[in-house]
Amino acid sequence: MAPPTAVAIHATAPDLSTPTLPGPLTIGGVAKRRGASGKLNGGVAATTSSDLFKGAACHKQKAKKWDHHMSAESRSREPSTLKRAASYLKAPGLISLGGGLPSSENFPIEHLEVKVPAIGHFSEEETKQSGVILRAGKHDLAEGKSIYGESEGGAAVNLSIALNYGQGTGSAQLLRFVTEHTEIVHKPPYQDWQCTLTVGSTSSLDIAYRIFTEPGDCILTEEYTFSTAVETAAPMGVRTIGIRMDEQGLIPSEMDEILSNWDEMERRAKKPVLLYTVPSGQNPTGATQGLERRQELYKVAQKHDLYIIEDEPYYFLQMDPYTVGGGGPPSPPPATHEDFLKALVPSLLNMDVDGRVMRLDSFSKVIAPGSRVAWVTASEEVIERVIRHNEVSTQNPSGISQLIIWKLLDESWGHAGYMDWLIHLRREYTKRRNVILKACEDHLLARIASWNPPAAGMFLWIKINWAEHPDIGHKDLTTIENDIFRASIERGVLLSPGSWFRAERHAAHKELFFRATFAAAESEQMGEAIRRFGETLRVVFRVSE
């Protein structure tokens, strides 16, 4: 028998109730989270991390480790000694003689002003008439001014900060915004995801290749892909292997077959561990992977231990279905921001339970390409490697670009206003797409040219039935493509030949395509351009009507 206890113990029934888990971040919940987080440390070269801005996620599993796929170059990178020293700058009363940060007294810019659209009045003409002027001074914070000084949740920055050196993560202020945006839109399903800013998605892609490839490796991608993705890999000694596509883009079963039957002796390369894909409005084909297609792709990646680069510059340019003839009124805008987000095809990041996706986001297609501001989302392990690369190469995006984008998106619009802008942009691109499709219906011969209406992005992929060419027995596909291209230029219209986008540049191809963009030209110009291209095809194919 056990001896009596000195203090009586009262047994209690175990708590078997389900614990309350934190809900996903919503636009309406941002202010509350920021208020609970206290003042943000956003001074000169301030160290920062997405972990400071994310919601609690202890109930989620952590990402798998990916060091077994990382290159020797990436594994060898050490933290920057000078960047690491900046963490001491926040100590109260510290006088620094150790770093190379110049005095802002010698920055020859006293203030900047930009005029931006008011929320809901996004057109160029409305901005001219009723736009909002945002001002950033050199010493707003020290002078106690609220304009690009204090904002809701304690963010503080001014020109003296933005014009100085920064960290490889980018500024704390803008990193907070993109981290919140990523959580609101994609809700990554694992615990230790992070973001970091980069100097555009091309730089992000270059870094990703350097992390996950060695000279002599192969990477997988769509059979027609973003030409820069191929041209970035080639000088590294990395070859691209094209995967067959259909109207929804990359076909997962084709990728599975390639990987399952990979012969290292025949291919002269080890089995690929990296996939580069553009799931929405794919460049150049305009194809968009549906939900089931993305789920199938992810399962194949799990089967073969592939790491995925999800390049998504056109994600928010997903459009309504096209009606033949281009007629009918435009669809009404979504009733709420939640309805807008639910209408988007879920991202690969959204279904990434393993942390095997590096998502590339950018402001290039939704704000301005000249800003050269983008961000990467991936597991903590991978983001740490990206930051190490940033520290000794690009360092961080332009301070002026970060400042202007932060003032626009955070200080002026907020997350709700930014969603309103994205909804506006989607409607504008839908109108443009409809114009070019109607022009194709009017001016291109169906027996020579065909196309699938794009559901996202800014590109139309036109297939040319080159078997209809009268010299088919004497001219090959490449010659006919060149004939069409040169004749188009002579008639004052430029479309990009499909061969420019082949993943395997020297492989034999049996199909002929041209890519048209509906992003820049005015409606009348697009119609005239397609008319000229139609005339070109009639001349090259010697069609008389």
Side-chain angles (χ1 to χ4, degrees), residues 322-328 434-435 437-439 441-442:
Y322 176 72
T323 302
V324 175
N434 293 351
V435 167
L437 290 175
K438 179 63 167 61
E441 293 168 2
D442 291 343

Side-chain angles (χ1 to χ4, degrees), residues 321-429:
Y322 176 72
T323 302
V324 175
S331 299
T336 66
H337 298 132
E338 288 73 20
D339 289 344
F340 170 60
L341 294 177
K342 287 177 182 177
L344 301 174
V345 181
S347 63
L348 290 170
L349 176 62
N350 174 260
M351 58 187 72
D352 182 21
V353 294
D354 299 334
R356 70 173 63 249
V357 173
M358 176 191 283
R359 181 180 171 89
L360 311 186
D361 278 288
S362 172
F363 291 116
S364 289
K365 302 303 189 293
V366 294
I367 298 293
S371 68
R372 306 318 302 146
V373 179
W375 74 98
V376 171
T377 306
S379 67
E380 179 182 10
E381 177 192 32
V382 174
I383 290 296
E384 189 270 341
R385 292 292 88 193
V386 176
I387 294 170
R388 297 290 83 83
H389 187 100
N390 282 347
E391 288 173 341
V392 294
S393 56
T394 58
Q395 297 205 25
N396 50 258
S398 158
I400 293 177
S401 289
Q402 292 186 74
L403 182 151
I404 291 174
I405 289 178
W406 184 87
K407 289 189 73 66
L408 171 65
L409 299 186
D410 201 328
E411 187 179 271
S412 180
W413 287 352
H415 286 285
Y418 185 41
M419 286 295 165
D420 289 341
W421 167 256
L422 294 173
I423 292 169
H424 161 79
L425 209 58
R426 183 184 71 166
R427 286 170 63 85
E428 289 300 306
Y429 272 89

Side-chain angles (χ1 to χ4, degrees), residues 81 100 106 117 133 145 150 166 172 211 241 276 301 326 376 397 419 428 497:
T81 305
N106 296 316
I133 294 177
K145 297 178 180 178
E150 295 291 335
I211 291 174
I241 304 297
Y276 170 79
V376 171
M419 286 295 165
E428 289 300 306

Side-chain angles (χ1 to χ4, degrees), residues 135-146:
R135 186 183 189 277
K138 186 187 288 187
H139 302 295
D140 285 345
L141 178 59
E143 295 169 0
K145 297 178 180 178
S146 61

Side-chain angles (χ1 to χ4, degrees), residues 218-326:
C218 293
I219 60 174
L220 302 173
T221 187
E222 290 91 347
E223 62 180 325
Y224 292 94
T225 188
F226 179 38
S227 57
T228 299
V230 177
E231 293 159 358
T232 300
M236 299 179 184
V238 175
R239 289 181 290 145
T240 47
I241 304 297
I243 302 168
R244 222 161 54 81
M245 306 172 69
D246 61 13
E247 67 280 357
Q248 285 195 53
L250 182 152
I251 303 175
S253 60
E254 295 286 334
M255 181 169 69
D256 186 26
E257 184 172 348
I258 288 173
L259 292 170
S260 297
N261 298 294
W262 189 269
D263 187 321
E264 294 190 355
M265 294 293 291
E266 179 183 343
R267 296 276 192 173
R268 294 178 290 109
K270 68 179 184 182
K271 185 178 176 179
V273 299
L274 192 65
L275 167 68
Y276 170 79
T277 183
V278 183
S280 306
Q282 198 258 357
N283 185 1
T285 68
T288 295
Q289 299 170 13
L291 173 59
E292 290 185 4
R293 176 63 58 89
R294 297 183 196 214
Q295 291 170 334
E296 291 169 9
L297 184 155
Y298 192 83
K299 288 178 182 177
V300 173
Q302 287 180 309
K303 175 181 177 181
H304 295 281
D305 198 27
L306 274 179
Y307 194 85
I308 303 169
I309 302 174
E310 178 186 26
D311 191 3
E312 279 282 38
Y314 316 106
Y315 184 72
F316 292 104
L317 303 183
Q318 297 182 37
M319 308 171 195
D320 296 327
Y322 176 72
T323 302
V324 175

Side-chain angles (χ1 to χ4, degrees), residues 72-84:
E73 174 192 341
S74 183
R75 291 196 306 270
S76 69
R77 292 191 183 277
E78 298 289 339
S80 165
T81 305
L82 295 176
K83 296 292 185 187
R84 188 167 47 185

